[in-house]
Amino acid sequence: GLCCLSSGNESIVLACPGSQKGHVLVITYDPSGGGPAGIKPSRLQTTIVVAHESPVSAMSLRYDGSMLATASDKGTIIRVYSVETTTQLFEFRRGIDKAEIYSMTFHISGKWLAVSSNHGTIHVYSLQGTAGSEDRSAAAKSVVTTPNPKSPLRFLSGVLPGGAYFGSEWSFAQFRVPDCKCICAFGQEPNTVVVVCADGSYLKARFDAALGQEMQQVDYCKFDGDIEAVVATT
């Protein structure tokens, strides 16, 4: 089933689909224990995040459990919530057409979110935001503002039916990958994303933290080809 778990030391957060469509059940535990023989963590908080109208198909927690990213089975909208308050912090548009979200991952700093899907593009969104709520400001505390691009027609968002499309925040940086299933994560080097694909491809790309746009590929290898080459020479 679909679930995710934070890996920080201050708290343990577990998220999984709720009993109602589009809802996420979020449980926060005290990692210091408190249960029988100090083995079972004690439950601190249980909340429900009303994330989407459609069934949730992908989710990810920031390592410290402070933020939750979700996507529905439509795959067009990515939302980020505060785990503590369930307040929506960000709403991002991946695209117009329906897509299957393969992976979502937060940068350890909480500044970025990377998303992969079956449309062959890795999207990086800035979580540093513009002006926003107290929750949003706290999530991006002490970082330089780097806004995600918006449509030049965003002034139509409150005028036309379905105008929310024009007011959406789009990805800050993008990178094309082989058209197959893939997962992504942030690399150890600053402003890098690593991608592993089902066809055996490994790619690394670097994005400009100030300008965004198209990422630059800096590394590539094909595991299947390397393995075949080794076998052929033995």
Side-chain angles (χ1 to χ4, degrees):
L2 178 64
C3 69
C4 54
L5 185 70
S6 69
S7 58
N9 296 322
E10 295 184 2
S11 64
I12 300 172
V13 179
L14 171 69
C16 61
S19 58
Q20 298 186 48
K21 181 175 65 176
H23 291 193
V24 179
L25 173 66
V26 182
I27 305 174
T28 303
Y29 295 93
D30 180 358
S32 63
I39 297 175
K40 182 179 179 181
S42 59
R43 184 178 298 196
L44 298 176
Q45 176 178 280
T46 300
T47 57
I48 297 292
V49 175
V50 182
H52 302 273
E53 295 181 358
S54 302
V56 175
S57 65
M59 63 178 72
S60 178
L61 284 163
R62 190 187 172 197
Y63 88 100
D64 63 356
S66 62
M67 290 189 286
L68 169 72
T70 66
S72 75
D73 60 2
K74 293 182 179 180
T76 55
I77 294 292
I78 310 296
R79 294 191 174 111
V80 179
Y81 295 89
S82 163
V83 167
E84 182 179 1
T85 66
T86 72
T87 302
Q88 180 180 304
L89 306 177
F90 302 91
E91 180 177 287
F92 304 128
R93 181 165 291 277
R94 183 213 52 80
I96 304 172
D97 299 325
K98 184 175 181 178
E100 180 182 356
I101 302 299
Y102 289 146
S103 68
M104 297 192 295
T105 182
F106 286 94
H107 190 273
I108 192 170
S109 68
K111 297 179 182 180
W112 311 100
L113 176 72
V115 178
S116 67
S117 74
N118 66 336
H119 282 223
T121 301
I122 306 299
H123 294 274
V124 172
Y125 300 91
S126 171
L127 300 179
Q128 300 169 64
T130 53
S133 66
E134 293 182 2
D135 287 317
R136 181 166 178 167
S137 299
K141 183 171 58 178
S142 301
V143 294
V144 177
T145 298
T146 309
N148 297 292
K150 291 187 177 183
S151 169
L153 301 176
R154 57 183 177 274
F155 65 90
L156 296 174
S157 59
V159 178
L160 297 178
Y165 167 82
F166 296 106
S168 299
E169 292 188 36
W170 295 76
S171 58
F172 177 79
Q174 311 81 34
F175 179 56
R176 291 291 301 175
V177 296
D179 193 13
C180 62
K181 191 165 187 176
C182 62
I183 57 174
C184 61
F186 289 98
Q188 291 184 333
E189 299 173 22
N191 308 326
T192 58
V193 174
V194 295
V195 185
V196 178
C197 302
D199 68 350
S201 300
Y202 165 87
L203 305 98
K204 181 190 289 186
R206 178 175 288 108
F207 61 93
D208 188 317
L211 301 177
Q213 302 178 358
E214 289 293 325
M215 292 186 251
Q216 299 297 315
Q217 181 174 307
V218 295
D219 198 5
Y220 171 83
C221 68
K222 191 75 174 292
F223 293 121
D224 289 349
D226 292 343
I227 294 173
E228 291 172 359
V230 171
V231 172
T233 57
T234 57

